[in-house]
Amino acid sequence: MTRPGMRLRARLAPWCSEKMLRQRIDPAIADLQAEYREAAREGRTWKARWTWLRGHAAIAKLLAACLWDRLLLAVDAWNEEDSFAIARVMGFAVAGMVAAILLQALPVYSKYAAPLLDGQQLWLVLYLLPFGLCLALPVGLMFGILCGLRSTISRQLTIAIVAVTLAASAVSLVNVTWITPVANQTFRRELFHRAGGVGPLARGTNELTLFEARRHYLSLESRGYRARRAAVGYYHRWALGFAPLALGCFALSVRTRRLRWKLAAAAGTVALFAYYFGGPGDLAASLAIIPAPLIAWLPNLLFMAAAARNFLRMPSRAVAGGQSRSR
Amino acid sequence: MARRRPRPLTLSPKESLILELLVRENEMYGLQLVTASRRRLKRGTVYVTLGRMEDKGFITSQLEDPPPDEGGMPRRLYQATALGRRILSLYASADRALVPEFVR
């Protein structure tokens, strides 16, 4: 007779603590199997199938409840060391973000604005900050996690860091969708008028909101134009929105590894810059055989795959939060 | 050093229901508790509540022998502890004493 729930248990076992398996998962699976056996013994095939389905749905609900329970325990267990750790992470992250923003915004200002303004009205560089933030947010966050966390961190701190990466991704999505296009257009309009231009200035693809960019590339395709670059640009902006999550998870997965991993993280960041700002990214975009979403999401996917590999290779106690600091 | 607040012993409505059922029937499986509660307890989350109650010391559990000839996992039987019975009785007394006062 098949034993329902055993395959699921085998998949969950590396991710759950021994206590969670013993107290919550195993009793749920054992009850499911008993109910299933009874239905099968009575010859009621459909009841057995319904029991299988209901039992697995209950286990899914159980996992969600365990996650919520763990979150509440983590909030309750928060202490001063965790506060210092989060402060370190945020401090390093802000420093990294400021450096990354300046590295992107100042060259653009120097190239387009400085010749027109003779170095005056430097405040116009503020309009370039949202553009700089697109890549600075994920890179700064990764820098903050790598430098701010020690090798052993508590479960509640891990949950807090994941929450920070999710919040950063939400901010990044809002930035790429609405804020950056408006700021870019304002910057361009200011320069246009200072250069003697009159009338309205048409928006480029980088000055369209995310939804306008999608309509733009779909309308090009429907009229028979090659819209590959427009499509890659659109998906690229979505990928930037989720880059804090991808890089944050990657940084969290390497924080316990040796120096070579942190150097790999730094190298990955440089590669990410190069990919998004030209060279490999432009080359990949021109290869029509590769779908546009894949081109745009490739860096995120690579970082997430590396993070998944690192997490899966951790000892199961560490995965289950066994790295809690002794108190 | 981390400062921990002492946790007072509390009894949620679901925990109270589980203790009442266990005191009545002496020992039950998780799924039997769900059936006996007339759906006031849910299939998935009952195990979270039972685990929490076991940590608090209100109930205890033991594994049955695995089913013979058919394989499968052994089921877990739950019983109320002396502490669980006492706290249920205290909450019931407090309930009886206070409710008339609030109803007034």
Side-chain angles (χ1 to χ4, degrees), chain A residues 204-205 208 212-232 234:
Chain A
T205 47
L208 299 174
E212 287 169 342
R214 182 171 187 273
R215 282 198 293 272
H216 171 67
Y217 97 78
L218 286 176
S219 104
L220 284 175
E221 279 183 349
S222 69
R223 284 183 279 158
Y225 292 110
R226 286 194 62 202
R228 184 162 169 82
R229 285 204 173 272
V232 169
Y234 165 71

Side-chain angles (χ1 to χ4, degrees), chain B residues 17-70:
Chain B
L17 174 61
I18 288 172
L19 279 174
E20 279 170 21
L21 292 169
L22 288 177
V23 163
R24 195 168 70 206
E25 301 291 333
N26 195 39
E27 56 181 22
M28 296 173 89
Y29 301 116
L31 217 48
Q32 285 178 326
L33 285 164
V34 170
T35 311
S37 74
R38 293 183 205 161
R39 307 292 181 206
R40 278 179 290 171
L41 297 171
K42 305 296 176 197
R43 280 187 75 120
T45 53
V46 70
Y47 302 101
V48 178
T49 311
L50 287 167
R52 208 181 291 139
M53 290 175 76
E54 206 170 342
D55 290 340
K56 287 184 189 178
F58 294 168
I59 63 173
T60 188
S61 67
Q62 63 190 40
L63 282 175
E64 270 194 334
D65 294 328
D69 303 330
E70 289 166 332

Side-chain angles (χ1 to χ4, degrees), chain A residues 103-143:
Chain A
L103 275 173
Q104 295 170 82
L106 288 179
V108 171
Y109 181 87
S110 302
K111 185 177 175 184
Y112 297 107
L116 278 171
L117 305 171
D118 289 328
Q120 294 172 14
Q121 295 182 314
L122 198 61
W123 60 269
L124 281 173
V125 81
L126 290 174
Y127 288 118
L128 295 175
L129 296 188
F131 153 74
L133 195 64
C134 293
L135 209 50
L137 193 52
V139 167
L141 187 61
M142 184 169 80
F143 180 68

